[in-house]
């Protein structure tokens, strides 16, 4: 019914240890930093210099003095790292690691939508392509969406591409009119209130922590609505010892690692982002050896996308 994770690698230990050593040696020689999202495979998180949510990763990418960024996440995250660091090499160990949510908005449709709502400002969730960020006014992540929308002067806001996050933001910022895009994250969309309730019944003391990409019904059950890194802080600060975690299952690994004395459960069913799991140790090693595949954004797009990302970073 629930998926409790202690989080150990599924690959043979010695093979992984050898790979890790080679990656860490080569990382030093390349003057590289390894950034990993909270949903990454445990063995990838273990070799990362920093593991975090989209905002934390963007902040680290903005601050780093490394010459090479190895981005263990999905394509839009590596693009954001490049937007902030065009002079650096940004490696994404598997270019096929995409985001179906980000693919639900394209720049031409956003421009057309803007024409229909001329008074509205556009806030683009970080889960968008660089082209979409380039035609948006502000970027935001799940951890600062409410803050960014509040700070925008316009009273009407086109919020894209996630309709669930848009609805959650609208519930928190009632003074503004939020015009949602119709996109959604397939992983969060498939988590049902019934699946969450089943785990709550099995663990009646547990608090529910949900990602704001979850549906309205799941959010209604949540004690905490948080970004992935916000989940760790919420669990740390709570007196509860058990939590139902409504997000991608990889999140149980950083939670268990940070708070081994607490228990974490996933809603029933399989809630796994196959794109996030495409990044593996052999691919990271290969990327450091060949310095490919690189993520690059054309200069004109980058400069316009940078404005939206920078406005967000100035706000947080
Ligand atoms: P976080 O910024 O909360 O880590 O979310 C990233 C994401 O893509 C969730 O699906």
């Amino acid at each position: 019914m629930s998926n409790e994770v202690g989080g150990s690698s599924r690959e043979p230990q010695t093979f992984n240890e050898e790979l890790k050593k080679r990656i860490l040696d080569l990382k030093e020689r390349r003057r590289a930093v390894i950034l990993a999202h909270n949903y990454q495979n445990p063995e990838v998180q273990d070799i990362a210099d920093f593991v975090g949510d989209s905002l934390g990763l963007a902040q680290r990418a903005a601050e780093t003095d490394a010459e090479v960024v190895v981005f263990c996440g999905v394509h839009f995250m590596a693009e954001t790292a490049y937007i902030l660091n065009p002079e650096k090499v940004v490696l994404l160990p598997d270019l096929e690691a995409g985001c179906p949510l980000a693919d639900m908005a394209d720049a031409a449709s956003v421009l057309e939508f803007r024409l229909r709502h001329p008074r509205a400002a556009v806030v683009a969730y970080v889960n968008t392509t660089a082209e979409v960020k380039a035609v948006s006014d502000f970027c935001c992540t799940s951890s600062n969406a409410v803050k960014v929308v509040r700070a925008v002067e316009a009273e009407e806001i086109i919020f894209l591409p996630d309709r669930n996050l848009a609805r959650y933001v609208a519930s928190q910022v009632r003074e503004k009119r939020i015009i949602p895009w119709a996109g959604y994250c397939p992983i969060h969309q498939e988590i049902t209130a019934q699946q969450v309730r089943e785990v709550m019944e099995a663990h009646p003391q547990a608090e529910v922590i949900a990602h704001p990409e979850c549906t309205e019904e799941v959010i209604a059950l949540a004690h905490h609505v948080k970004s992935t890194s916000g989940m760790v802080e919420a669990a740390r600060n709570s007196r509860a010892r058990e939590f139902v975690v409504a997000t991608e299952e990889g999140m149980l690994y950083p939670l268990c690692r940070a708070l081994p004395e607490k228990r974490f459960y996933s809603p029933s069913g399989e809630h796994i982002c196959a794109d996030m799991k495409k990044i593996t140790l052999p691919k990271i090693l290969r990327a450091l050896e060949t310095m490919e595949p690189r993520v690059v954004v054309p200069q004109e797009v980058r400069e316009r996308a940078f404005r939206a990302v920078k406005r967000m970073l100035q706000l947080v």
Side-chain angles (χ1 to χ4, degrees), residues 269-284:
E270 281 223 324
H271 307 294
I272 296 172
C273 175
D275 284 284
M276 282 281 178
K277 311 306 181 203
K278 285 181 180 158
I279 310 297
T280 61
L281 293 183
K283 289 179 192 171
I284 294 170

Side-chain angles (χ1 to χ4, degrees), residues 37-39 52-55 76-77 99 125-127 141-143 185 188 211 213 226-229 247 276:
H37 187 264
N38 284 311
Y39 296 158
D53 63 6
S54 306
L55 178 64
F76 76 81
M77 295 180 175
C99 172
Y125 189 30
V126 69
N127 300 40
T141 71
S142 58
S143 66
C185 161
H188 287 95
H211 195 276
E213 288 175 23
K226 296 286 175 188
S227 76
T228 56
S229 291
T247 192
M276 282 281 178

